Amino acid sequence: MPVDFSGTWNLVCSDNFEGYMLALGIDFATRKIAKRLKPQKVIEQEGDSFSIQTTSAFRSYFVQFKIGEEFEEDNKGLDHRKCKSVVTWDNDKLVCVQTGDKKNRGWTHWIEGDQLYLELCCEEQVCTQIYKSA
Ligand code: VLZ
């Protein structure tokens, strides 16, 4: 039985989101607003199918995928760079590799205790976020 990420999750802490946004080339004004946000994630997991809705007061982002199936991401509302993404399991971690103009771009989700973790990577920057069940 794989881990179940399904649920509604609220951000409780975030480290180096600023560095991640800088690596993505997000402008100063947007970063200023974005770093204060407390996004909520609604994750739906059914077998190999996932959807992740990230909502905030400022911008929101939706992604849908199946494990092992490459899909195109537009990163609309974020940096708008298109990339080819694929999500796979690494033991109990959900690992997304986002291939495009930016090196080492991707994210990893895992659960520890009652917390949902998210590591966002771009180039040399790593942002770590922790979410708690709503
Ligand atoms: O999450 O890649 O859960 O897409 C934050 C919106 C969304 C705030 C960040 C506005 C998406 C920021 C992070 C404006 C620059 C992400 C994946 C993993 C699913």
Side-chain angles (χ1 to χ4, degrees):
M1 271 290 277
V3 194
D4 189 6
F5 290 87
S6 297
T8 301
W9 304 90
N10 292 329
L11 183 84
V12 289
C13 65
S14 180
D15 180 60
N16 197 37
F17 190 48
E18 175 72 8
Y20 174 73
M21 288 192 290
L22 266 170
L24 286 176
I26 307 293
D27 67 85
F28 177 78
T30 306
R31 290 201 314 273
K32 235 175 96 168
I33 300 168
K35 71 179 169 196
R36 308 187 54 181
L37 299 170
K38 298 264 180 246
Q40 180 178 74
K41 284 190 191 277
V42 176
I43 303 180
E44 285 177 1
Q45 175 178 348
E46 265 181 43
D48 274 356
S49 298
F50 287 77
S51 68
I52 304 179
Q53 171 76 58
T54 309
T55 306
S56 82
F58 176 55
R59 302 244 175 99
S60 295
Y61 189 69
F62 179 74
V63 71
Q64 216 169 5
F65 56 85
K66 277 189 181 162
I67 296 296
E69 286 188 15
E70 191 179 75
F71 61 102
E72 188 154 300
E73 252 194 296
D74 56 10
N75 293 291
K76 213 175 157 188
L78 307 175
D79 65 319
H80 297 268
R81 277 190 202 85
K82 288 207 168 99
C83 56
K84 302 263 191 205
S85 303
V86 64
V87 183
T88 54
W89 287 110
D90 174 14
N91 296 306
D92 284 345
K93 292 187 174 183
L94 206 53
V95 180
C96 179
V97 175
Q98 297 171 311
T99 306
D101 294 340
K102 288 288 175 184
K103 296 266 173 277
N104 193 36
R105 182 171 185 170
W107 53 259
T108 301
H109 266 302
W110 70 97
I111 288 175
E112 249 176 70
D114 60 351
Q115 303 187 131
L116 172 75
Y117 283 73
L118 171 61
E119 209 171 77
L120 295 161
C121 298
C122 183
E123 296 175 333
E124 279 76 51
Q125 298 298 319
V126 182
C127 163
T128 307
Q129 298 186 333
I130 303 177
Y131 292 79
K132 280 203 160 140
S133 189

